[in-house]
Structures are given as C-alpha cells and as structure tokens.
Amino acid sequence: MVTLALGPGGRTLYAARLPVLGEPSDEAWDTASGRRVSVLSGLTSSDLAVHPDGGLLVGDNRAARLPSGKVTGAGLVQGEQIGALAVAADGSRFAAGDQTGRVALWDRELTHRMGVLRNVFPVPLGDEPEPVSALAVSPDGKTLAVGGGTGTLQLWDIATQQPLGGRLVTPGERIDSLSFSVTAPRCTRAAPTSPSSATPSTRRARRRRSASGHGGV
C-alpha cells in the first residue's frame, strides 16, 4: 500500500496499491466487513484525497466521481508530478503539491484554481527545488502545512497565500504525512522514524534559545 484515505464516517477506506511492475491500482474497501468492494479503474494514482461529502476522490491529476467511479482528468499541477494532496475539513478547497516545490489551491469541484504557492521552500538560484511530500489543512481551513522531501516544514496562510513565520524545526528527514490537532494549535508530522510536533510555545522557546546562541530554528 502506498496511500490510504478514509471516507466520511469511516465506512469506506480507499487504498492505492503499487505493484512491483505496472501502474498503481486504487481500491475501495468496506471497513465494517473488511472486504474490497470495488477497483477504481482509470484513476491509477499513488496519492489520494477524498472529499468530506464522499462524492469525489482525487488522485494524481485525475478525479473519480463517487459512487459511480467515473474518472475525469484534473490538471491540478503542471505535468504528472504530484507529491501530496489535502482537502479542507469543510470540503471548500483542495491543495496539490508537486515535485518542483509548488502548491496549487483549488475549489471544491476542481473547476477553479484559487491560487498557487510558488517556491514554498526557497533555495539558492540554480539549486534543485525541494519537492512537496506532505500537506495538511488546519481544522478551521485557514492554515496549510507543507512538508518537503528533505524535511522542511512550513506553515502558510491560505487567505493571503503567504508563509507564516519561518521554517519549523525537524530532524531533516523526508516528511511523509502531516496532521493538525483539533483541540490545540499543534501540527504533527510523520517521517520514516518517529512522529514529532511543534506548537507556538515550543517555537517561541526555540527562538529564545537561538537568540541566546544555543541553537537554531
């Protein structure tokens, strides 16, 4: 399995399976019975995000209408190089990150692009951009967390499409997934080793240590 996405109410689990040879296959499983109920042919995506109303499953520049499974093209990013997908809790927007360090913001129907966060991880001119490997939208829909392939973590204001402060401290490993707490201003990341989290208080403490010469942010 490459990616898992849980449908509304936790009744259906969507799974992207990547075989040793061939293209990815996308499956729908009934969580109550533990049985596979369908294979979504034509989606062939290794990244998945399901709309909160359960009517749309988004993949790698493709989208499947549910429950019919009808697949249509969706040019979420330039080319086929999607690195991560996320959807707001109210379904008002989707976010799609690519391998060149950009994030595109789309409306709930994927018919209107609301903006593009370019160069989300700034690098010196001539250096290879850091790919986007994980995305998460805060429960209130105002903040987007963007994780990178070499461990960079940055928060963005969705309304202004501007970064919120500097980069957050991580061990420097690829970030595979991100999530926000629903009860506190906390963003949690998952990497190949162990999860970690950052809150406003821990960031302020790190900044104080940095100003004293005892560390960096």
Side-chain angles (χ1 to χ4, degrees), residues 206-215:
R206 287 165 182 159
R207 290 191 185 102
R208 288 196 295 269
R209 289 197 298 271
S210 176
S212 301
H214 296 296

Side-chain angles (χ1 to χ4, degrees), residues 7-80:
R11 296 182 296 272
T12 305
L13 179 69
Y14 299 95
R17 188 188 300 274
L18 185 63
V20 177
L21 298 175
E23 295 183 326
S25 64
D26 301 291
E27 306 166 349
W29 290 73
D30 181 88
T31 56
S33 66
R35 295 182 178 181
R36 188 177 69 180
V37 294
S38 66
V39 176
L40 302 168
S41 59
L43 197 60
T44 58
S45 300
S46 56
D47 296 283
L48 297 173
V50 60
H51 193 278
D53 68 7
L56 186 66
L57 180 65
V58 180
D60 298 342
N61 277 344
R62 299 175 183 87
R65 296 288 173 179
L66 302 174
S68 69
K70 180 181 179 181
V71 176
T72 58
L76 302 179
V77 300
Q78 293 184 2
E80 296 287 330

Side-chain angles (χ1 to χ4, degrees), residues 54-132:
L56 186 66
L57 180 65
V58 180
D60 298 342
N61 277 344
R62 299 175 183 87
R65 296 288 173 179
L66 302 174
S68 69
K70 180 181 179 181
V71 176
T72 58
L76 302 179
V77 300
Q78 293 184 2
E80 296 287 330
Q81 299 296 310
I82 282 185
L85 293 167
V87 59
D90 64 357
S92 61
R93 69 195 67 208
F94 283 91
D98 66 22
Q99 300 294 322
T100 64
R102 294 175 299 184
V103 177
L105 303 174
W106 290 84
D107 68 348
R108 66 174 62 239
E109 294 296 329
L110 303 181
T111 57
H112 174 65
R113 191 173 68 184
M114 305 171 69
V116 178
L117 310 181
R118 304 182 186 278
N119 197 23
V120 294
F121 309 126
V123 296
L125 186 64
D127 286 3
E128 287 290 327
E130 182 177 358
V132 175

Side-chain angles (χ1 to χ4, degrees), residues 196-211:
S196 66
S197 60
T199 64
S201 60
T202 58
R203 291 197 294 273
R204 286 195 294 269
R206 287 165 182 159
R207 290 191 185 102
R208 288 196 295 269
R209 289 197 298 271
S210 176

